[in-house]
Every structure is written in structure tokens, then in C-alpha cells.
Amino acid sequence: MATSLDLGKFQWSSFVSYKRFDANKDSVDGAAVFTSFQTSGLHRSQNEIDDKNSVRAFTAGTNLSFSFDKLSVGLTGIHFRYELPLQRKLADYNLFLFDGRQVSNLGLSYKYGLNRYFFFGETAWSSTRGTAFIQGVQANPADQIGLSVLYRNIGKNYNAPLAGAFTEGSKVNDEQGVYFGAVVQPIAGVSLRMYADFFRYNWIKYTTVAPGKGQEYLLQLDYKVTQDWKVYSRYFLEKKPVKANGDFTKLNLEQSREKVRIQVEGILWEQLISKSRWECIWYQHEQKSFGWMVFQDVGFHSKSNSQAWWLRLAYFHTDDYDSRVYAFENDLLYQFSVPAFYGKGIRIYANGKVKICEKIDVWMKVARSWFLGVDKLGSGYSQIDGGKKTEVKFQLRFKF
């Protein structure tokens, strides 16, 4: 349940949630606990069936914000309580992550605009005695130039189950970093986008054996050829520490991942859209590997907007999983898909929406992948004999 009230310069929102979720349950000294969250959504084996809706969670939160002229200030609080205590695997990388039955967070945020500058930031605390801080500024010193800087400092003890902060890692925990971004439009139809992100960890991660630091860079050139056609080229470089096997023990070794992409898209006819992409990747860690992918998309939109379709034909070829290539795919309503492609194969999919009548919409997606030179895909309950994989999705929406 949730509610939101507009009280003039004050806005207040609150929610409360009580639901079951999938989790891996266990017993420690005769007491029931859960050791991890089960997020696959699959219930194929007896263990997965036992994990289904096995733990309850209570969550409540509120936000009060105040807006005055160019300044906005907000105060946010949230509390989580699990039916059973969470007890993670005993490992160094889990030392500062939340264990127990309940955790609370409190955050104070602001936004302020001044001429060509926009400032924003937040300071947050968690009941695990951790703090997190983020501060950013966006500036437009000239009409053709946009700049941004963002600093983040998230403590090792900070834990927030629903946080969605600007971070390099998947968890909002133990990370310091600074991000610099810029957009420059030197002439009409041409734009140059770039960013550099520098980050460090003060403790061990799942993929590391010691604290470390890394960098990430992106440079993209967009060119509008005509009113209907545009092309962009992108270069991406990431370097960060990842654990590797040494002579006597594991150690951190720099992992490098470089990507180059060229994409051309435009309108073939009034209702027909074309998108072509070529992308390759160079990977280096304990060994080197290379991969590339090319695809052609065709999209159709009816004039009445009662139908919309996307078709894709793709070919990929990578040395191994390390040089995998990611590609966004259109999907059902409120869903998105960014699968990883590795090995050697062909991918084709069709995705569409049809408006049956004023109150009924239908979405569907059919995809098929051919993996060349393999006799099985996956393992365990997900294993498929042969090198072909087919996916079918269907969604019906009724509005009333």
C-alpha cells in the first residue's frame, strides 16, 4: 500500500509492503535462517520448489520533500524486517555485508539550480553503522558544452537492500569514486560524448582477493547524416582488478576490456526503420580473447500505432565467455533483455505489439539461437541437447 500527498511546497509519500520471496533456507544450531536470495524465478527441482516463497519480508518507507524556488530538500527513511535472520556464507567478501533480521536507512538529499549550474547530492546512514555520500554538479558553460562531475563515497559498513546508487559494483557498499563527463557539439549535426570514471574498493569483493582500484573510459562520436539517418562510433575501455591464480596463492591481476562499436540507423520509409551494428571486444586477464558481433534490425510502426514490430538477424563469434558481447533486445511491456552472446552462432528474433481493441493489447516475442560446433547448451536442469535454443514469450494486457 502506498500514498502520496501534495501539500503545497511540501510533498509526502509513504508505503508499506508485506510479501513472501524466494530464498535458500537452512538451519544453524537448530534455528531457522536463510543464506541467500533466490532470484532466478525458476522452480524446477525439489530444492527450488522448497525455496519458493519461503521467507516473508516487511518493508516500510517514507519521504518528505520541500521545494522552494530553485531549492529542493528531501528526507527519506526506510526499514526492512525479515521473518528469518539472513546469515550469509562465511567468506572475507561478506564480512561487511548485512546479516540479521532487520536494517534501517535514513537519507537527506537536495537539488539546487543556479543559472547554468545544477547541484545535487545525498547523505545516507544505515543501522549497520555505515554512511554513504554522493555529490554531483552539472554545468553548461556554453550552449554547445555540457559538463558533469560526480563524487561518491560509500562506506564498508553501509548496507541498503533497495539502494540504486551510481556505482561500479552491483552492491551499494564499499566504493569510492569520481566521474567526469562531457558533451560537446562543435558543429551542427555532430556531438562528442565522453566520460572517465575512477573508482576504488577498500575491502575484498567477490571477484578480488585484496582492495584495489580501476578506471573506465568512453568516447562516442554522433553524426546526423541527414534528417532521417544518423551514425555513431564508440570506444570503451575498462580496467579493474580481478583475482587470478599466482604461483603459491591467488592475487589481484588487472583485467582489461576494450570495445569498439559502429551503428547506423535511420528511416527506410515512413513506417520502416533500419538499425545496423558492428561491435568487437578485446579481453585480457590471465589470457587474451577476442569477440565480435554484427546484426541488422528492421522495425515497423503502423500509422495508427495499433501495431509495432522488430526483427533482428545477428551473427556472433567470440573466443570464449570472457570476450562475450552484449546486445539490447526489444521485449514485452515493462521488460527488457540484454543477453550475452559467446561462442559462434546466429541469433534471430521477432518482437511485436498488436492493439486488439481499445482495452486489449497483446505483446509477443519469439527468438531462436543456433550455436555452431556444440552438442549441448547449459547444464543441470537447464541443459539442452544440441546447439539450438528457442524462446517464446506472450503477454496480454486488459485495461478497465
Side-chain angles (χ1 to χ4, degrees):
M1 297 183 294
T3 183
S4 184
L5 300 177
D6 190 343
L7 307 172
K9 294 181 178 180
F10 289 90
Q11 292 81 40
W12 175 71
S13 299
S14 287
F15 78 92
V16 60
S17 168
Y18 185 70
K19 66 173 187 177
R20 295 175 178 267
F21 62 92
D22 293 4
N24 296 319
K25 291 179 65 175
D26 202 347
S27 177
V28 177
D29 296 330
V33 300
F34 75 100
T35 57
S36 63
F37 300 90
Q38 174 51 280
T39 58
S40 69
L42 300 176
H43 307 103
R44 304 159 297 183
S45 66
Q46 187 58 49
N47 287 337
E48 290 179 345
I49 294 173
D50 293 340
D51 291 340
K52 182 180 180 180
N53 293 330
S54 58
V55 181
R56 298 181 180 89
F58 171 82
T59 311
T62 187
N63 170 266
L64 179 64
S65 62
F66 169 76
S67 300
F68 178 76
D69 197 14
K70 299 178 181 180
L71 175 66
S72 178
V73 180
L75 180 66
T76 303
I78 190 167
H79 178 73
F80 304 85
R81 182 176 176 83
Y82 301 116
E83 176 189 18
L84 302 176
L86 169 62
Q87 185 162 323
R88 301 179 190 270
K89 175 183 177 181
L90 187 60
D92 291 337
Y93 55 81
N94 282 333
L95 182 60
F96 294 99
L97 296 182
F98 164 70
D99 273 344
R101 292 188 62 182
Q102 56 186 6
V103 59
S104 301
N105 300 103
L106 182 66
L108 179 64
S109 60
Y110 85 98
K111 297 182 291 185
Y112 179 67
L114 179 65
N115 298 326
R116 290 177 174 264
Y117 297 89
F118 177 71
F119 301 88
F120 60 93
E122 181 178 5
T123 299
W125 301 265
S126 69
S127 58
T128 54
R129 299 182 180 181
T131 59
F133 175 79
I134 187 170
Q135 173 60 51
V137 58
Q138 296 176 337
N140 293 98
D143 293 339
Q144 297 80 18
I145 300 176
L147 304 174
S148 59
V149 179
L150 188 144
Y151 171 75
R152 59 194 184 274
N153 190 332
I154 303 168
K156 291 183 294 186
N157 289 310
Y158 183 78
N159 288 274
L162 292 182
F166 185 102
T167 57
E168 164 65 21
S170 58
K171 292 183 174 62
V172 184
N173 170 267
D174 181 32
E175 182 172 317
Q176 291 178 284
V178 59
Y179 167 95
F180 302 94
V183 178
V184 181
Q185 297 174 304
I187 58 176
V190 177
S191 65
L192 185 64
R193 306 168 187 268
M194 63 196 84
Y195 76 74
D197 188 32
F198 305 92
F199 53 89
R200 64 177 298 168
Y201 317 125
N202 295 316
W203 187 244
I204 298 169
K205 300 291 185 180
Y206 177 75
T207 57
T208 66
V209 293
K213 57 184 179 180
Q215 314 93 43
E216 188 175 292
Y217 308 93
L218 182 137
L219 179 65
Q220 178 172 314
L221 178 65
D222 295 77
Y223 176 50
K224 193 172 184 179
V225 183
T226 66
Q227 187 66 27
D228 296 332
W229 287 87
K230 60 182 179 180
V231 58
Y232 78 81
S233 57
R234 174 187 295 176
Y235 173 76
F236 172 86
L237 172 63
E238 180 191 57
K239 294 184 177 182
K240 63 181 181 180
V242 176
K243 60 185 175 185
N245 294 315
D247 293 335
F248 302 101
T249 185
K250 291 186 179 293
L251 51 83
N252 277 355
L253 182 65
E254 184 179 74
Q255 172 188 280
S256 173
R257 197 185 299 271
E258 290 183 85
K259 301 179 184 180
V260 174
R261 175 190 297 179
I262 298 176
Q263 179 167 305
V264 181
E265 59 182 295
I267 301 175
L268 294 172
W269 288 282
E270 184 178 353
Q271 298 163 246
L272 209 58
I273 302 170
S274 171
K275 181 188 296 182
S276 307
R277 178 185 295 178
W278 171 81
E279 183 167 356
C280 59
I281 177 172
W282 293 266
Y283 173 89
Q284 183 173 349
H285 186 229
E286 293 183 274
Q287 71 284 327
K288 295 182 180 180
S289 63
F290 173 75
W292 62 279
M293 180 181 189
V294 60
F295 69 68
Q296 174 62 51
D297 283 0
V298 177
F300 169 78
H301 296 267
S302 63
K303 290 184 178 181
S304 62
N305 201 32
S306 61
Q307 293 188 51
W309 296 90
W310 278 101
L311 301 174
R312 171 174 295 178
L313 175 62
Y315 176 80
F316 54 92
H317 191 165
T318 76
D319 293 336
D320 51 31
Y321 181 75
D322 290 330
S323 53
R324 62 194 178 275
V325 182
Y326 291 93
F328 172 85
E329 292 185 355
N330 293 281
D331 214 296
L332 307 182
L333 180 67
Y334 307 131
Q335 293 191 31
F336 68 94
S337 176
V338 190
F341 298 95
Y342 58 94
K344 182 179 180 181
I346 298 171
R347 169 80 166 179
I348 184 171
Y349 83 85
N351 170 244
K353 167 206 168 183
V354 178
K355 190 178 183 68
I356 304 297
C357 61
E358 187 64 30
K359 294 186 177 182
I360 301 178
D361 299 321
V362 175
W363 279 263
M364 62 200 76
K365 181 178 181 180
V366 179
R368 189 171 178 87
S369 299
W370 291 266
F371 294 86
L372 308 179
V374 299
D375 55 11
K376 68 175 183 178
L377 299 172
S379 61
Y381 293 103
S382 299
Q383 180 174 314
I384 298 174
D385 294 330
K388 302 174 184 178
K389 182 178 180 180
T390 304
E391 305 153 58
V392 179
K393 296 182 179 182
F394 179 83
Q395 186 178 58
L396 175 68
R397 180 177 69 167
F398 177 69
K399 297 186 291 185
F400 57 89

